[in-house]
Amino acid sequence: MTASSLAPGARPATRNRAEIPADLRWDFAPIYPDWPAWEAGMAEMQRLMDDFAARKGTLAQGAAALLAAYEAFDEIGRLQYRLYRYPQLQRDVDTRDQDVAGRFQRVGALFAKFEAATAWFKPELLALPQAEVEAWIAATPALAPYRFTIVDNFRRQRHVLDEAGEHLLALGSRLAGAPREVFQELSTSDIRFPTLRLVDGSEVVLTPGNYAALLESNPDQAERGAAAAAHVGTYAANAHTYAALYNAVLQRDWYLAQARRFETTLDAALDENAVPPAVVETLVRTARAGAAPLQRYARLRRRLLGLAGYHLYDGFLPVWRSDKTYPYATARELALASVAPLGADYCERYRRFVSGGRIDVYENEGKRSGAYSAGVYGVGPYLLLNYNDTLDSVFTFAHEAGHAMHTVLSYERQPFVTADYTIFVAEVASITNERLLLDELLRRTEDPKERFLLLEHAASAIVGTFYTQALFADFELQAHRLVERGEPVTTEVLCRLYAGLLRDYWGDAVEFDAFYQYTWARIPHFYNSPYYVYQYATCFASSAKIYAAMTEGDPAARAAATAHYLELLSSGGNDHPMEQLRKAGVDLTDAATVQAVVSQLDALVTRMEAEAAKLA
């Protein structure tokens, strides 16, 4: 099948990228027209780095010198976006291309060099009297966009080392990433997944993709259990190595926290965005105490699936199946219709974004799995999908498009220095778009089976994005505290900690399988980005609060809540994320905000029971 013969909206039968229509593939030209232009950008980056290094010692000269330095930082930053994304995006659509992979590695090396070459800047800025710098800002309108960034640097002053200390930490940045790199190699390049023989005589290699597909499709509980034991057991076989790697992550985090004079690793992780530790502590405490709806959900699924006992590996099998498909054109129409409550301006920007060239829609040979949205300042977002016409794909599209529109609005409304929003608020936009899509889909059907499947999708999202991530955050917090107290971190200790959390969250609604105590060994976020996953759960809670405000109450209150939400999406990183959320009506230090998600799952289970009763 050629690109020209593909019917509008049809899924390509080919995995040959060249045969997929151009409007369903990324157009890289807005970033750079070709590789020679990218090479010129790399050379320009080196020149700008040298020029910036020459500014060392000039900041005390006054407002003009400070402004010039920040403007130079901005120029380098805008260039970094293009230099990074041009090879990164092309690598992701063909991971087999070693030339592109090599260019991407060159970017990483150049950026590490930049970190070391600019280590002088922050200590020199903070050596100036804060009152004097704020007076310069007040007297110099061109410095106004940098006010938040500058003042925030002074807020964090006690955790910034002198130039020599910052230089040493910068030199160690690549070394600090060693546990992550070893984990990736151990879990991808060197791992050998087992082959499982099924009762029908077929065999399946339990790679992550095949394993997930088997849990979703195989009706035989015994085979699902055997697959889970074998897949998780692959990681358990190297548990002592994983424990050593995770201990290295914990020890690194504690070393860096102490080097920067933080009392705990949690304080160090949250300080950049001025997030109070109470946010994480409230989350894990409220989620663990609010596990009853989670257990109620498991019991409902056990009953509807007709199982004598319910296991974690049963959580992926649909209660009912649907052969309904959703072509990509349908997904676009549904997603666009679902965001109508956000107003005409939002919808028009959404329509422009999905018109072509910025969304890489279908799977092709060599393309990485999954989905994401990636911004390029001055160009806009690029969205990666592996769309397969399923309901899950529709929700994934809506989710990632929520991120993309957050980027569109922030880039339009913010100067470069405050255009990037934090991870702490990032998932609010994507989760809200998913909830709006659910409303749109429910409006379009009265079929109990379809409505049950939609409600189950929403409940499953709460399980995966809220409860599971809260459990992960709980584990990370307790593991880091072991190191802070000088206690041992061994395979046995980590397994005991994880198994205890499984029992706390799932109670007796789930049969305990001993192999699941090794799950910590296979979670990439634990090794790649500690104290990250809690933000998925807090974003879910924030989104639930905002959604309720936009859809409940009198029209004036709903309109005001929608305006505050759009202001959040347009604010980039112009304030601390807790303050941005507060303006949108969210306080994550309040347990009631987190409890709202617990109540939401409880209500969804009630609605699922009602639809299931109609089918019975």
Side-chain angles (χ1 to χ4, degrees), residues 448-464:
K449 179 179 176 182
E450 188 173 354
R451 291 178 66 82
F452 179 93
L453 293 173
L454 291 169
L455 294 168
E456 185 176 31
H457 187 282
S460 177
I462 294 178
V463 173

Side-chain angles (χ1 to χ4, degrees), residues 257-326:
Q258 293 177 95
R260 292 199 176 278
R261 299 183 287 272
F262 288 101
E263 292 186 7
T264 69
T265 54
L266 183 62
D267 291 331
L270 303 186
D271 181 70
E272 181 177 1
N273 293 322
V275 175
V279 168
V280 177
E281 294 163 349
T282 299
L283 167 70
V284 298
R285 183 172 59 251
T286 308
R288 197 187 311 145
L294 176 67
Q295 296 167 22
R296 183 182 170 209
Y297 174 68
R299 292 189 181 98
L300 172 64
R301 284 184 46 81
R302 178 189 62 77
R303 177 169 61 83
L304 294 177
L305 287 168
L307 300 175
Y310 191 79
H311 299 256
L312 289 178
Y313 51 75
D314 296 322
F316 306 91
L317 187 71
V319 173
W320 289 292
R321 296 186 183 278
S322 171
D323 57 3
K324 185 172 182 177
T325 60
Y326 299 83

Side-chain angles (χ1 to χ4, degrees), residues 42 45-46 49 76 80 83-84 104-119 166-177 180-181:
M42 291 285 282
M45 172 77 175
Q46 184 63 62
M49 285 168 48
I76 293 171
Q80 282 181 308
L83 291 176
Y84 181 87
F104 187 57
Q105 289 180 9
R106 286 174 54 199
V107 174
L110 185 62
F111 283 14
K113 185 177 178 181
F114 173 71
E115 291 294 323
T118 58
E166 288 295 327
H167 184 69
L168 282 174
L169 290 183
L171 289 177
S173 62
R174 301 199 78 180
L175 178 62
R180 176 185 67 249
E181 294 172 3

